PDB file of all heavy atoms in Angstrom:
ATOM      1  N   THR A  12     -29.798   1.147  55.631  1.00 96.00           N
ATOM      2  CA  THR A  12     -29.340   2.120  56.624  1.00 96.00           C
ATOM      3  C   THR A  12     -28.629   3.289  55.948  1.00 96.00           C
ATOM      4  O   THR A  12     -28.264   3.220  54.778  1.00 96.00           O
ATOM      5  CB  THR A  12     -28.381   1.456  57.640  1.00 96.00           C
ATOM      6  OG1 THR A  12     -27.281   0.866  56.915  1.00 96.00           O
ATOM      7  CG2 THR A  12     -29.094   0.386  58.452  1.00 96.00           C
ATOM      8  N   TYR A  13     -28.416   4.355  56.707  1.00 97.00           N
ATOM      9  CA  TYR A  13     -27.629   5.489  56.243  1.00 97.00           C
ATOM     10  C   TYR A  13     -27.008   6.184  57.439  1.00 97.00           C
ATOM     11  O   TYR A  13     -27.421   5.962  58.594  1.00 97.00           O
ATOM     12  CB  TYR A  13     -28.480   6.459  55.407  1.00 97.00           C
ATOM     13  CG  TYR A  13     -29.456   7.321  56.187  1.00 97.00           C
ATOM     14  CD1 TYR A  13     -29.111   8.602  56.625  1.00 97.00           C
ATOM     15  CD2 TYR A  13     -30.742   6.859  56.473  1.00 97.00           C
ATOM     16  CE1 TYR A  13     -30.006   9.387  57.324  1.00 97.00           C
ATOM     17  CE2 TYR A  13     -31.649   7.636  57.163  1.00 97.00           C
ATOM     18  CZ  TYR A  13     -31.280   8.910  57.593  1.00 97.00           C
ATOM     19  OH  TYR A  13     -32.173   9.689  58.299  1.00 97.00           O
ATOM     20  N   ILE A  14     -25.996   7.005  57.170  1.00 97.00           N
ATOM     21  CA  ILE A  14     -25.376   7.794  58.243  1.00 97.00           C
ATOM     22  C   ILE A  14     -25.616   9.275  57.987  1.00 97.00           C
ATOM     23  O   ILE A  14     -25.741   9.722  56.851  1.00 97.00           O
ATOM     24  CB  ILE A  14     -23.857   7.530  58.383  1.00 97.00           C
ATOM     25  CG1 ILE A  14     -23.131   7.723  57.044  1.00 97.00           C
ATOM     26  CG2 ILE A  14     -23.582   6.185  58.994  1.00 97.00           C
ATOM     27  CD1 ILE A  14     -21.607   7.647  57.149  1.00 97.00           C
ATOM     28  N   SER A  15     -25.696  10.028  59.076  1.00 97.00           N
ATOM     29  CA  SER A  15     -25.746  11.489  59.013  1.00 97.00           C
ATOM     30  C   SER A  15     -24.682  12.010  59.962  1.00 97.00           C
ATOM     31  O   SER A  15     -24.468  11.452  61.038  1.00 97.00           O
ATOM     32  CB  SER A  15     -27.130  12.009  59.414  1.00 97.00           C
ATOM     33  OG  SER A  15     -27.485  11.581  60.727  1.00 97.00           O
ATOM     34  N   ALA A  16     -23.998  13.080  59.535  1.00 97.00           N
ATOM     35  CA  ALA A  16     -22.886  13.601  60.328  1.00 97.00           C
ATOM     36  C   ALA A  16     -23.050  15.092  60.557  1.00 97.00           C
ATOM     37  O   ALA A  16     -23.484  15.832  59.670  1.00 97.00           O
ATOM     38  CB  ALA A  16     -21.557  13.328  59.631  1.00 97.00           C
ATOM     39  N   ASP A  17     -22.712  15.526  61.781  1.00 96.00           N
ATOM     40  CA  ASP A  17     -22.607  16.958  62.065  1.00 96.00           C
ATOM     41  C   ASP A  17     -21.189  17.233  62.556  1.00 96.00           C
ATOM     42  O   ASP A  17     -20.296  16.400  62.377  1.00 96.00           O
ATOM     43  CB  ASP A  17     -23.685  17.433  63.053  1.00 96.00           C
ATOM     44  CG  ASP A  17     -23.557  16.810  64.447  1.00 96.00           C
ATOM     45  OD1 ASP A  17     -22.453  16.344  64.811  1.00 96.00           O
ATOM     46  OD2 ASP A  17     -24.563  16.811  65.192  1.00 96.00           O
ATOM     47  N   ASP A  18     -20.960  18.384  63.156  1.00 96.00           N
ATOM     48  CA  ASP A  18     -19.609  18.774  63.570  1.00 96.00           C
ATOM     49  C   ASP A  18     -18.969  17.801  64.561  1.00 96.00           C
ATOM     50  O   ASP A  18     -17.744  17.650  64.571  1.00 96.00           O
ATOM     51  CB  ASP A  18     -19.624  20.172  64.188  1.00 96.00           C
ATOM     52  CG  ASP A  18     -19.826  21.253  63.148  1.00 96.00           C
ATOM     53  OD1 ASP A  18     -19.800  20.935  61.946  1.00 96.00           O
ATOM     54  OD2 ASP A  18     -20.023  22.422  63.529  1.00 96.00           O
ATOM     55  N   LEU A  19     -19.792  17.165  65.392  1.00 96.00           N
ATOM     56  CA  LEU A  19     -19.230  16.377  66.483  1.00 96.00           C
ATOM     57  C   LEU A  19     -19.666  14.914  66.509  1.00 96.00           C
ATOM     58  O   LEU A  19     -19.074  14.112  67.231  1.00 96.00           O
ATOM     59  CB  LEU A  19     -19.593  17.023  67.837  1.00 96.00           C
ATOM     60  CG  LEU A  19     -19.099  18.461  68.049  1.00 96.00           C
ATOM     61  CD1 LEU A  19     -19.568  18.990  69.392  1.00 96.00           C
ATOM     62  CD2 LEU A  19     -17.581  18.536  67.962  1.00 96.00           C
ATOM     63  N   ARG A  20     -20.695  14.570  65.743  1.00 95.00           N
ATOM     64  CA  ARG A  20     -21.215  13.199  65.829  1.00 95.00           C
ATOM     65  C   ARG A  20     -21.560  12.642  64.455  1.00 95.00           C
ATOM     66  O   ARG A  20     -21.907  13.373  63.538  1.00 95.00           O
ATOM     67  CB  ARG A  20     -22.478  13.153  66.707  1.00 95.00           C
ATOM     68  CG  ARG A  20     -22.204  13.443  68.192  1.00 95.00           C
ATOM     69  CD  ARG A  20     -23.474  13.205  68.996  1.00 95.00           C
ATOM     70  NE  ARG A  20     -23.233  13.346  70.430  1.00 95.00           N
ATOM     71  CZ  ARG A  20     -23.435  14.457  71.112  1.00 95.00           C
ATOM     72  NH1 ARG A  20     -23.887  15.526  70.492  1.00 95.00           N
ATOM     73  NH2 ARG A  20     -23.201  14.502  72.412  1.00 95.00           N
ATOM     74  N   VAL A  21     -21.483  11.297  64.366  1.00 96.00           N
ATOM     75  CA  VAL A  21     -22.002  10.558  63.218  1.00 96.00           C
ATOM     76  C   VAL A  21     -23.043   9.586  63.755  1.00 96.00           C
ATOM     77  O   VAL A  21     -22.766   8.822  64.694  1.00 96.00           O
ATOM     78  CB  VAL A  21     -20.889   9.779  62.476  1.00 96.00           C
ATOM     79  CG1 VAL A  21     -21.488   8.997  61.303  1.00 96.00           C
ATOM     80  CG2 VAL A  21     -19.803  10.726  61.978  1.00 96.00           C
ATOM     81  N   ASN A  22     -24.243   9.626  63.180  1.00 96.00           N
ATOM     82  CA  ASN A  22     -25.335   8.756  63.611  1.00 96.00           C
ATOM     83  C   ASN A  22     -25.705   7.768  62.529  1.00 96.00           C
ATOM     84  O   ASN A  22     -25.672   8.085  61.336  1.00 96.00           O
ATOM     85  CB  ASN A  22     -26.575   9.588  63.983  1.00 96.00           C
ATOM     86  CG  ASN A  22     -26.354  10.421  65.238  1.00 96.00           C
ATOM     87  OD1 ASN A  22     -25.582  10.057  66.113  1.00 96.00           O
ATOM     88  ND2 ASN A  22     -27.035  11.553  65.319  1.00 96.00           N
ATOM     89  N   LEU A  23     -26.089   6.570  62.948  1.00 96.00           N
ATOM     90  CA  LEU A  23     -26.532   5.512  62.041  1.00 96.00           C
ATOM     91  C   LEU A  23     -28.046   5.357  62.151  1.00 96.00           C
ATOM     92  O   LEU A  23     -28.588   5.219  63.248  1.00 96.00           O
ATOM     93  CB  LEU A  23     -25.840   4.186  62.406  1.00 96.00           C
ATOM     94  CG  LEU A  23     -26.268   2.949  61.613  1.00 96.00           C
ATOM     95  CD1 LEU A  23     -25.819   3.053  60.157  1.00 96.00           C
ATOM     96  CD2 LEU A  23     -25.702   1.680  62.257  1.00 96.00           C
ATOM     97  N   TRP A  24     -28.715   5.395  60.989  1.00 96.00           N
ATOM     98  CA  TRP A  24     -30.174   5.315  60.940  1.00 96.00           C
ATOM     99  C   TRP A  24     -30.609   4.088  60.157  1.00 96.00           C
ATOM    100  O   TRP A  24     -29.923   3.665  59.221  1.00 96.00           O
ATOM    101  CB  TRP A  24     -30.770   6.527  60.230  1.00 96.00           C
ATOM    102  CG  TRP A  24     -30.483   7.860  60.836  1.00 96.00           C
ATOM    103  CD1 TRP A  24     -29.333   8.596  60.720  1.00 96.00           C
ATOM    104  CD2 TRP A  24     -31.375   8.639  61.633  1.00 96.00           C
ATOM    105  NE1 TRP A  24     -29.463   9.790  61.385  1.00 96.00           N
ATOM    106  CE2 TRP A  24     -30.698   9.847  61.958  1.00 96.00           C
ATOM    107  CE3 TRP A  24     -32.687   8.446  62.098  1.00 96.00           C
ATOM    108  CZ2 TRP A  24     -31.292  10.846  62.723  1.00 96.00           C
ATOM    109  CZ3 TRP A  24     -33.275   9.438  62.866  1.00 96.00           C
ATOM    110  CH2 TRP A  24     -32.575  10.624  63.183  1.00 96.00           C
ATOM    111  N   ASN A  25     -31.783   3.562  60.489  1.00 95.00           N
ATOM    112  CA  ASN A  25     -32.474   2.610  59.635  1.00 95.00           C
ATOM    113  C   ASN A  25     -33.511   3.391  58.843  1.00 95.00           C
ATOM    114  O   ASN A  25     -34.249   4.198  59.409  1.00 95.00           O
ATOM    115  CB  ASN A  25     -33.154   1.522  60.485  1.00 95.00           C
ATOM    116  CG  ASN A  25     -33.710   0.394  59.629  1.00 95.00           C
ATOM    117  OD1 ASN A  25     -34.587   0.598  58.794  1.00 95.00           O
ATOM    118  ND2 ASN A  25     -33.193  -0.808  59.840  1.00 95.00           N
ATOM    119  N   LEU A  26     -33.558   3.158  57.541  1.00 94.00           N
ATOM    120  CA  LEU A  26     -34.442   3.942  56.686  1.00 94.00           C
ATOM    121  C   LEU A  26     -35.913   3.811  57.077  1.00 94.00           C
ATOM    122  O   LEU A  26     -36.721   4.710  56.823  1.00 94.00           O
ATOM    123  CB  LEU A  26     -34.260   3.531  55.221  1.00 94.00           C
ATOM    124  CG  LEU A  26     -32.979   4.027  54.547  1.00 94.00           C
ATOM    125  CD1 LEU A  26     -32.726   3.269  53.253  1.00 94.00           C
ATOM    126  CD2 LEU A  26     -33.050   5.523  54.279  1.00 94.00           C
ATOM    127  N   SER A  27     -36.279   2.704  57.697  1.00 94.00           N
ATOM    128  CA  SER A  27     -37.675   2.481  58.055  1.00 94.00           C
ATOM    129  C   SER A  27     -38.031   2.995  59.447  1.00 94.00           C
ATOM    130  O   SER A  27     -39.194   2.976  59.843  1.00 94.00           O
ATOM    131  CB  SER A  27     -38.004   0.984  57.964  1.00 94.00           C
ATOM    132  OG  SER A  27     -37.192   0.242  58.866  1.00 94.00           O
ATOM    133  N   ILE A  28     -37.016   3.467  60.193  1.00 93.00           N
ATOM    134  CA  ILE A  28     -37.259   3.958  61.555  1.00 93.00           C
ATOM    135  C   ILE A  28     -36.814   5.413  61.640  1.00 93.00           C
ATOM    136  O   ILE A  28     -35.626   5.716  61.537  1.00 93.00           O
ATOM    137  CB  ILE A  28     -36.506   3.112  62.603  1.00 93.00           C
ATOM    138  CG1 ILE A  28     -36.919   1.640  62.482  1.00 93.00           C
ATOM    139  CG2 ILE A  28     -36.772   3.629  64.016  1.00 93.00           C
ATOM    140  CD1 ILE A  28     -36.076   0.696  63.328  1.00 93.00           C
ATOM    141  N   SER A  29     -37.745   6.330  61.836  1.00 92.00           N
ATOM    142  CA  SER A  29     -37.415   7.755  61.782  1.00 92.00           C
ATOM    143  C   SER A  29     -37.289   8.425  63.143  1.00 92.00           C
ATOM    144  O   SER A  29     -36.858   9.568  63.224  1.00 92.00           O
ATOM    145  CB  SER A  29     -38.484   8.500  60.968  1.00 92.00           C
ATOM    146  OG  SER A  29     -39.764   8.341  61.557  1.00 92.00           O
ATOM    147  N   ASP A  30     -37.633   7.721  64.207  1.00 90.00           N
ATOM    148  CA  ASP A  30     -37.642   8.383  65.513  1.00 90.00           C
ATOM    149  C   ASP A  30     -36.460   8.030  66.403  1.00 90.00           C
ATOM    150  O   ASP A  30     -36.366   8.487  67.538  1.00 90.00           O
ATOM    151  CB  ASP A  30     -38.952   8.083  66.255  1.00 90.00           C
ATOM    152  CG  ASP A  30     -39.166   6.593  66.490  1.00 90.00           C
ATOM    153  OD1 ASP A  30     -38.392   5.786  65.932  1.00 90.00           O
ATOM    154  OD2 ASP A  30     -40.110   6.237  67.214  1.00 90.00           O
ATOM    155  N   ARG A  31     -35.527   7.217  65.914  1.00 91.00           N
ATOM    156  CA  ARG A  31     -34.332   6.926  66.714  1.00 91.00           C
ATOM    157  C   ARG A  31     -33.172   6.504  65.823  1.00 91.00           C
ATOM    158  O   ARG A  31     -33.369   5.954  64.739  1.00 91.00           O
ATOM    159  CB  ARG A  31     -34.610   5.868  67.785  1.00 91.00           C
ATOM    160  CG  ARG A  31     -34.982   4.501  67.264  1.00 91.00           C
ATOM    161  CD  ARG A  31     -35.303   3.563  68.432  1.00 91.00           C
ATOM    162  NE  ARG A  31     -35.662   2.237  67.989  1.00 91.00           N
ATOM    163  CZ  ARG A  31     -36.879   1.862  67.637  1.00 91.00           C
ATOM    164  NH1 ARG A  31     -37.859   2.743  67.664  1.00 91.00           N
ATOM    165  NH2 ARG A  31     -37.118   0.614  67.260  1.00 91.00           N
ATOM    166  N   SER A  32     -31.980   6.779  66.306  1.00 94.00           N
ATOM    167  CA  SER A  32     -30.756   6.437  65.588  1.00 94.00           C
ATOM    168  C   SER A  32     -29.714   5.980  66.590  1.00 94.00           C
ATOM    169  O   SER A  32     -29.909   6.106  67.810  1.00 94.00           O
ATOM    170  CB  SER A  32     -30.239   7.637  64.792  1.00 94.00           C
ATOM    171  OG  SER A  32     -29.900   8.702  65.666  1.00 94.00           O
ATOM    172  N   PHE A  33     -28.595   5.457  66.075  1.00 94.00           N
ATOM    173  CA  PHE A  33     -27.498   5.005  66.931  1.00 94.00           C
ATOM    174  C   PHE A  33     -26.293   5.906  66.696  1.00 94.00           C
ATOM    175  O   PHE A  33     -25.902   6.138  65.555  1.00 94.00           O
ATOM    176  CB  PHE A  33     -27.127   3.557  66.618  1.00 94.00           C
ATOM    177  CG  PHE A  33     -28.234   2.579  66.871  1.00 94.00           C
ATOM    178  CD1 PHE A  33     -29.055   2.176  65.827  1.00 94.00           C
ATOM    179  CD2 PHE A  33     -28.473   2.067  68.141  1.00 94.00           C
ATOM    180  CE1 PHE A  33     -30.085   1.275  66.037  1.00 94.00           C
ATOM    181  CE2 PHE A  33     -29.501   1.172  68.370  1.00 94.00           C
ATOM    182  CZ  PHE A  33     -30.321   0.775  67.319  1.00 94.00           C
ATOM    183  N   ASN A  34     -25.718   6.399  67.782  1.00 95.00           N
ATOM    184  CA  ASN A  34     -24.526   7.229  67.685  1.00 95.00           C
ATOM    185  C   ASN A  34     -23.306   6.324  67.512  1.00 95.00           C
ATOM    186  O   ASN A  34     -23.022   5.492  68.377  1.00 95.00           O
ATOM    187  CB  ASN A  34     -24.390   8.100  68.926  1.00 95.00           C
ATOM    188  CG  ASN A  34     -23.154   8.979  68.895  1.00 95.00           C
ATOM    189  OD1 ASN A  34     -22.413   9.072  69.857  1.00 95.00           O
ATOM    190  ND2 ASN A  34     -22.912   9.624  67.769  1.00 95.00           N
ATOM    191  N   ILE A  35     -22.576   6.464  66.387  1.00 94.00           N
ATOM    192  CA  ILE A  35     -21.431   5.586  66.131  1.00 94.00           C
ATOM    193  C   ILE A  35     -20.090   6.322  66.202  1.00 94.00           C
ATOM    194  O   ILE A  35     -19.046   5.690  66.293  1.00 94.00           O
ATOM    195  CB  ILE A  35     -21.568   4.853  64.781  1.00 94.00           C
ATOM    196  CG1 ILE A  35     -21.797   5.830  63.628  1.00 94.00           C
ATOM    197  CG2 ILE A  35     -22.687   3.830  64.843  1.00 94.00           C
ATOM    198  CD1 ILE A  35     -21.818   5.164  62.248  1.00 94.00           C
ATOM    199  N   VAL A  36     -20.108   7.662  66.141  1.00 94.00           N
ATOM    200  CA  VAL A  36     -18.902   8.458  66.358  1.00 94.00           C
ATOM    201  C   VAL A  36     -19.291   9.675  67.181  1.00 94.00           C
ATOM    202  O   VAL A  36     -20.270  10.357  66.860  1.00 94.00           O
ATOM    203  CB  VAL A  36     -18.244   8.921  65.033  1.00 94.00           C
ATOM    204  CG1 VAL A  36     -17.074   9.864  65.328  1.00 94.00           C
ATOM    205  CG2 VAL A  36     -17.775   7.741  64.208  1.00 94.00           C
ATOM    206  N   ASP A  37     -18.526   9.940  68.241  1.00 94.00           N
ATOM    207  CA  ASP A  37     -18.779  11.111  69.084  1.00 94.00           C
ATOM    208  C   ASP A  37     -17.429  11.681  69.507  1.00 94.00           C
ATOM    209  O   ASP A  37     -16.709  11.062  70.286  1.00 94.00           O
ATOM    210  CB  ASP A  37     -19.596  10.714  70.310  1.00 94.00           C
ATOM    211  CG  ASP A  37     -20.061  11.919  71.125  1.00 94.00           C
ATOM    212  OD1 ASP A  37     -19.543  13.036  70.888  1.00 94.00           O
ATOM    213  OD2 ASP A  37     -20.935  11.766  71.990  1.00 94.00           O
ATOM    214  N   ILE A  38     -17.081  12.850  68.970  1.00 93.00           N
ATOM    215  CA  ILE A  38     -15.792  13.452  69.321  1.00 93.00           C
ATOM    216  C   ILE A  38     -15.963  14.646  70.271  1.00 93.00           C
ATOM    217  O   ILE A  38     -15.022  15.402  70.494  1.00 93.00           O
ATOM    218  CB  ILE A  38     -15.009  13.887  68.061  1.00 93.00           C
ATOM    219  CG1 ILE A  38     -15.745  15.011  67.314  1.00 93.00           C
ATOM    220  CG2 ILE A  38     -14.760  12.705  67.140  1.00 93.00           C
ATOM    221  CD1 ILE A  38     -14.895  15.679  66.230  1.00 93.00           C
ATOM    222  N   LYS A  39     -17.171  14.802  70.816  1.00 92.00           N
ATOM    223  CA  LYS A  39     -17.421  15.938  71.711  1.00 92.00           C
ATOM    224  C   LYS A  39     -16.681  15.730  73.028  1.00 92.00           C
ATOM    225  O   LYS A  39     -16.892  14.735  73.722  1.00 92.00           O
ATOM    226  CB  LYS A  39     -18.920  16.079  71.972  1.00 92.00           C
ATOM    227  CG  LYS A  39     -19.274  17.287  72.834  1.00 92.00           C
ATOM    228  CD  LYS A  39     -20.768  17.412  73.025  1.00 92.00           C
ATOM    229  CE  LYS A  39     -21.103  18.640  73.876  1.00 92.00           C
ATOM    230  NZ  LYS A  39     -22.564  18.788  74.070  1.00 92.00           N
ATOM    231  N   PRO A  40     -15.783  16.664  73.415  1.00 91.00           N
ATOM    232  CA  PRO A  40     -15.070  16.529  74.686  1.00 91.00           C
ATOM    233  C   PRO A  40     -15.985  16.877  75.859  1.00 91.00           C
ATOM    234  O   PRO A  40     -17.018  17.548  75.687  1.00 91.00           O
ATOM    235  CB  PRO A  40     -13.926  17.546  74.555  1.00 91.00           C
ATOM    236  CG  PRO A  40     -14.461  18.593  73.632  1.00 91.00           C
ATOM    237  CD  PRO A  40     -15.377  17.884  72.678  1.00 91.00           C
ATOM    238  N   VAL A  41     -15.616  16.421  77.046  1.00 90.00           N
ATOM    239  CA  VAL A  41     -16.401  16.741  78.244  1.00 90.00           C
ATOM    240  C   VAL A  41     -16.441  18.246  78.445  1.00 90.00           C
ATOM    241  O   VAL A  41     -17.484  18.834  78.745  1.00 90.00           O
ATOM    242  CB  VAL A  41     -15.801  16.033  79.487  1.00 90.00           C
ATOM    243  CG1 VAL A  41     -16.564  16.437  80.748  1.00 90.00           C
ATOM    244  CG2 VAL A  41     -15.839  14.525  79.296  1.00 90.00           C
ATOM    245  N   ASN A  42     -15.287  18.878  78.246  1.00 91.00           N
ATOM    246  CA  ASN A  42     -15.184  20.336  78.329  1.00 91.00           C
ATOM    247  C   ASN A  42     -15.037  20.889  76.907  1.00 91.00           C
ATOM    248  O   ASN A  42     -14.045  20.629  76.237  1.00 91.00           O
ATOM    249  CB  ASN A  42     -13.978  20.725  79.190  1.00 91.00           C
ATOM    250  CG  ASN A  42     -13.837  22.237  79.344  1.00 91.00           C
ATOM    251  OD1 ASN A  42     -14.644  23.019  78.814  1.00 91.00           O
ATOM    252  ND2 ASN A  42     -12.819  22.654  80.080  1.00 91.00           N
ATOM    253  N   MET A  43     -16.027  21.641  76.446  1.00 90.00           N
ATOM    254  CA  MET A  43     -16.007  22.143  75.069  1.00 90.00           C
ATOM    255  C   MET A  43     -14.824  23.066  74.789  1.00 90.00           C
ATOM    256  O   MET A  43     -14.458  23.273  73.636  1.00 90.00           O
ATOM    257  CB  MET A  43     -17.316  22.872  74.751  1.00 90.00           C
ATOM    258  CG  MET A  43     -18.480  21.934  74.482  1.00 90.00           C
ATOM    259  SD  MET A  43     -18.234  20.926  72.999  1.00 90.00           S
ATOM    260  CE  MET A  43     -18.581  22.116  71.704  1.00 90.00           C
ATOM    261  N   GLU A  44     -14.201  23.602  75.827  1.00 90.00           N
ATOM    262  CA  GLU A  44     -13.018  24.438  75.627  1.00 90.00           C
ATOM    263  C   GLU A  44     -11.830  23.616  75.137  1.00 90.00           C
ATOM    264  O   GLU A  44     -10.852  24.158  74.632  1.00 90.00           O
ATOM    265  CB  GLU A  44     -12.660  25.168  76.927  1.00 90.00           C
ATOM    266  CG  GLU A  44     -13.699  26.227  77.328  1.00 90.00           C
ATOM    267  CD  GLU A  44     -13.296  26.974  78.590  1.00 90.00           C
ATOM    268  OE1 GLU A  44     -12.242  26.627  79.172  1.00 90.00           O
ATOM    269  OE2 GLU A  44     -14.029  27.898  78.986  1.00 90.00           O
ATOM    270  N   GLU A  45     -11.915  22.300  75.296  1.00 90.00           N
ATOM    271  CA  GLU A  45     -10.838  21.415  74.856  1.00 90.00           C
ATOM    272  C   GLU A  45     -11.047  20.919  73.421  1.00 90.00           C
ATOM    273  O   GLU A  45     -10.259  20.131  72.908  1.00 90.00           O
ATOM    274  CB  GLU A  45     -10.743  20.212  75.800  1.00 90.00           C
ATOM    275  CG  GLU A  45     -10.388  20.593  77.235  1.00 90.00           C
ATOM    276  CD  GLU A  45     -10.453  19.395  78.169  1.00 90.00           C
ATOM    277  OE1 GLU A  45     -10.786  18.284  77.695  1.00 90.00           O
ATOM    278  OE2 GLU A  45     -10.189  19.566  79.370  1.00 90.00           O
TER     279      GLU A  45
END
C-alpha cells in the first residue's frame, strides 16, 4: 500500500488497485470559509 496527500485529504491506496482508494484523513470543513 501507499498514501497520497493533498491540501485537505490523505488517501490510502493498494498498489494493485488503481481505480479506488480509501480516505483516511479529511480536514475539509463543511464551510470552506472556516
Side-chain angles (χ1 to χ4, degrees):
T12 57
Y13 74 93
I14 53 173
S15 58
D17 64 22
D18 287 352
L19 300 178
R20 292 187 175 95
V21 179
N22 292 331
L23 176 68
W24 300 79
N25 189 298
L26 285 165
S27 61
I28 303 171
S29 60
D30 60 351
R31 64 183 180 274
S32 63
F33 298 96
N34 179 227
I35 54 175
V36 174
D37 188 347
I38 65 168
K39 183 178 181 180
V41 176
N42 181 0
M43 283 295 283
E44 292 182 357
E45 297 174 359

